[in-house]
Amino acid sequence: PVRSMEEILTRVVVPLPTYETREKSPPPPESNSVEFMHFYRSLEKEEKSQLLAKLSHDFGVDHKGVSELAGKLLDTQQRDLATILQVEDRLRYSLTPRYKQLLNHISRVESGVKFLVDLRADLLEIISSKDLNGTLKSLLSEWFSVGLLRLERITWQSPCEILQKISQYEAVHPVRNWTDIKRRVGPYRRCYAFTHAAMPGEPLVVLHVALTEDISDNIQSIVREFATLDSEEDVSKVNTAVFYSISSTQAGLQGVELGNVLIKRVVRELQSEFPHMSQFSSLSPIPGFSSWLQGLLSQHRKEGRVELLTDCEWGKVADVTNTTPDTNALDALRKLISTGDWTRSEHLVHILEPALMRLCAWYLYGEKRRGYALNPVANFHLQNGATMWRLNWHADTSPRGVANSCGIMVNYRYFLQETTSNSAAYMHNKIITATEQVLSLVSQFQKNSKL
Ligand SMILES: CC(C)(COP(=O)(O)OP(=O)(O)O)[C@@H](O)C(=O)NCCC(N)=O
């Protein structure tokens, strides 16, 4: 259907009106947008990529027109300001991609915004259309700005279809059944979502909160053993909000930063419900720590380096695994960590705690990607201005928790007066705000592993 793709695009993506007629020309018929949406939805994945690449390359900015106007602007530099502003405005207009009108018109038809969110999700999978992605992301950022979002509290009285979606979208601690989701919206819990009028009934980003007396150091007390109390009898002791799960549900809204906005909005909501609430912190997973550790161990194995643990620790590992304190012990340790078997032996848990805590502190604080924290969850909370507050041993004893991060979890704490400056320090100077507990684990790692 390439011919028809070319034919449809040429007809539907109308040329940019001339500068003179830009405010007078009538918008193309709504049927154009509807036809484009139907056509796009009818395509296979591969054909969608072709169409998006064609849209981006052949229906974008008129580069020749831009360069002519840029030349003209250079010649105008000696003229009076009014003339310069005129030419600059022409140049600005000429930088409008032709397809931008189509995106604007689609956003005005029924479920057009949802269509564009899904279209951006497709775009994010193909990298060839950076400018189309950029244009779409900036449009979506305007449409999904905080003033146009609605904060909804999800309770057991919410419609089934919302509760079902919340359960489905839960990306951090999977919901197993109705009892599970009932607890998560029940007493001493809060569940909030942002929704948008253009996508009714669709939670865009979901935040789960536990109301506690202190900052939780383990997830079991939040999502497992919780005895379902019939109501929040005594909230006088509640002075802490623990964010234990946040998930964005629309891939196409990636980069629109809804999670950060939701956390800040929920903090304000909780402060008004619990005026004396004084502590706000996440209890976050550390996805990727175990695989990072395995990578480090196998790299050291190749280089025959038996470091990372102290000689004393290697000696104990060798004893427990009936090996010798050299690469044999290292192989035994790799196996234990990959199977999670080490958690079954109290002795091994005791030996490995200091070493794994040091390694995990380094993974979160020291490992970087383009200067920012390598771990995506750390990067998210640090961008929000949170403090890397406390590493928690034995915090997630589920098989998933042990497999992903050796059972360790971390609290990113939101000191409300410091988030703005912490975020700026992190974004501009890549400075991670961390507590003495974290920093001492990091320096122990550096002492022990000569990395
Ligand atoms: C952590 C989340 C919610 C951040 O979303 P958001 O604030 O919109 O950031 P971004 O997607 O705009 O970069 C998002 O990245 C997500 O859903 N991650 C997977 C689940 C998780 N919590 O790690």
Side-chain angles (χ1 to χ4, degrees):
V2 177
R3 194 198 58 72
S4 68
M5 193 183 282
E6 186 66 41
E7 184 269 327
I8 286 205
L9 284 177
T10 310
R11 183 158 40 79
V12 162
V13 193
V14 298
L16 212 60
T18 64
Y19 181 76
E20 288 69 22
T21 63
R22 70 191 185 287
E23 264 139 25
K24 292 193 259 324
S25 60
E30 188 174 289
S31 55
N32 272 16
S33 307
V34 175
E35 184 187 350
F36 178 84
M37 289 160 72
H38 283 316
F39 178 67
Y40 183 81
R41 284 193 180 110
S42 71
L43 298 178
E44 299 298 322
K45 201 111 188 93
E46 181 41 45
E47 295 168 315
K48 285 183 175 172
S49 303
Q50 280 170 11
L51 179 135
L52 292 172
K54 190 179 277 292
L55 189 65
S56 171
H57 303 152
D58 306 346
F59 295 86
V61 169
D62 163 19
H63 303 294
K64 203 165 112 353
V66 170
S67 58
E68 278 161 17
L69 278 163
K72 192 151 177 283
L73 183 60
L74 281 179
D75 300 344
T76 326
Q77 285 317 300
Q78 311 313 325
R79 302 287 299 277
D80 59 299
L81 183 59
T83 313
I84 293 174
L85 289 174
Q86 248 290 334
V87 179
E88 282 176 354
D89 196 44
R90 282 178 179 277
L91 177 59
R92 182 180 300 113
Y93 180 70
S94 72
L95 285 162
T96 310
R98 183 168 154 178
Y99 53 68
K100 185 170 180 182
Q101 296 176 99
L102 172 69
L103 302 179
N104 266 311
H105 296 143
I106 289 174
S107 73
R108 296 188 197 116
V109 306
E110 180 64 32
S111 78
V113 172
K114 170 65 176 161
F115 169 83
L116 291 172
V117 169
D118 293 341
L119 187 133
R120 180 158 180 262
D122 295 341
L123 256 183
L124 288 171
E125 285 174 30
I126 50 174
I127 42 166
S128 67
S129 319
K130 276 200 180 324
D131 50 320
L132 174 53
N133 176 38
T135 303
L136 194 44
K137 181 185 168 189
S138 64
L139 285 173
L140 291 171
S141 296
E142 282 166 36
W143 298 334
F144 289 88
S145 59
V146 63
L148 301 175
L149 297 168
R150 198 153 69 90
L151 182 74
E152 271 191 46
R153 186 183 154 191
I154 314 294
T155 68
W156 191 237
Q157 284 66 43
S158 299
C160 267
E161 65 178 354
I162 285 278
L163 279 165
Q164 196 256 345
K165 278 188 178 150
I166 298 291
S167 307
Q168 236 175 351
Y169 283 134
E170 169 52 28
V172 189
H173 304 288
V175 174
R176 292 181 306 272
N177 51 44
W178 281 114
T179 319
D180 199 347
I181 186 66
K182 184 171 183 181
R183 281 182 199 150
R184 298 195 196 188
V185 297
Y188 301 99
R189 296 285 179 274
R190 290 293 182 273
C191 175
Y192 291 100
F194 267 147
T195 58
H196 191 284
M199 293 167 64
E202 194 64 57
L204 303 178
V205 56
V206 183
L207 176 64
H208 289 269
V209 190
L211 304 177
T212 60
E213 292 173 45
D214 218 335
I215 295 177
S216 311
D217 62 5
N218 78 88
I219 193 64
Q220 267 60 46
S221 63
I222 292 179
V223 294
R224 258 197 246 318
E225 294 119 28
F226 195 78
T228 320
L229 305 177
D230 48 15
S231 73
E232 293 175 1
E233 285 94 10
D234 171 14
V235 291
S236 63
K237 293 198 297 292
V238 166
N239 67 2
T240 304
V242 180
F243 309 127
Y244 65 92
S245 172
I246 182 164
S247 304
S248 59
T249 67
Q250 308 295 316
L253 289 177
Q254 196 188 57
V256 176
E257 304 257 317
L258 295 178
N260 183 18
V261 174
L262 179 59
I263 289 177
K264 302 294 166 49
R265 181 75 183 73
V266 166
V267 163
R268 286 208 307 279
E269 194 72 14
L270 292 171
Q271 283 179 310
S272 66
E273 188 180 355
F274 303 96
H276 52 278
M277 184 170 278
S278 59
Q279 299 185 130
F280 299 90
S281 176
S282 81
L283 175 63
S284 300
I286 309 173
F289 169 57
S290 296
S291 49
W292 169 82
L293 177 58
Q294 289 290 18
L296 190 61
L297 290 172
S298 63
Q299 178 204 334
H300 279 214
R301 178 68 183 81
K302 267 194 225 96
E303 297 159 5
R305 293 162 61 186
V306 186
E307 294 159 15
L308 296 177
L309 271 56
T310 62
D311 298 345
C312 165
E313 286 162 344
W314 279 122
K316 288 177 183 168
V317 168
D319 286 349
V320 174
T321 57
N322 297 325
T323 56
T324 44
D326 48 31
T327 53
N328 295 323
L330 195 150
D331 287 339
L333 179 62
R334 285 168 65 195
K335 196 166 167 354
L336 284 168
I337 289 178
S338 63
T339 60
D341 286 351
W342 61 278
T343 55
R344 266 187 268 286
S345 135
E346 278 297 305
H347 189 40
L348 254 177
V349 167
H350 184 69
I351 297 168
L352 292 177
E353 176 177 351
L356 291 175
M357 287 289 271
R358 292 195 305 266
L359 285 156
C360 191
W362 174 257
Y363 167 67
L364 288 174
Y365 186 85
E367 287 295 326
K368 302 296 172 60
R369 192 170 57 133
R370 289 201 302 275
Y372 295 103
L374 171 67
N375 178 268
V377 181
N379 187 42
F380 168 68
H381 287 291
L382 293 169
Q383 283 179 346
N384 298 346
T387 298
M388 193 177 285
W389 191 66
R390 181 178 68 195
L391 256 66
N392 303 290
W393 180 250
H394 213 59
D396 184 349
T397 53
S398 72
R400 221 162 146 268
V402 170
N404 287 346
S405 63
C406 300
I408 302 171
M409 296 185 83
V410 53
N411 296 115
Y412 297 105
R413 186 163 172 189
Y414 287 74
F415 291 102
L416 305 184
Q417 313 312 324
E418 296 166 23
T419 50
T420 308
S421 57
N422 285 352
S423 175
Y426 180 67
M427 299 304 278
H428 305 321
N429 310 322
K430 303 181 170 109
I431 292 169
I432 294 181
T433 311
T435 57
E436 204 29 56
Q437 185 235 18
V438 172
L439 295 174
S440 70
L441 286 167
V442 167
S443 60
Q444 286 167 44
F445 168 86
Q446 288 165 324
K447 252 201 318 290
N448 277 294
S449 59
K450 314 171 195 71
L451 259 196

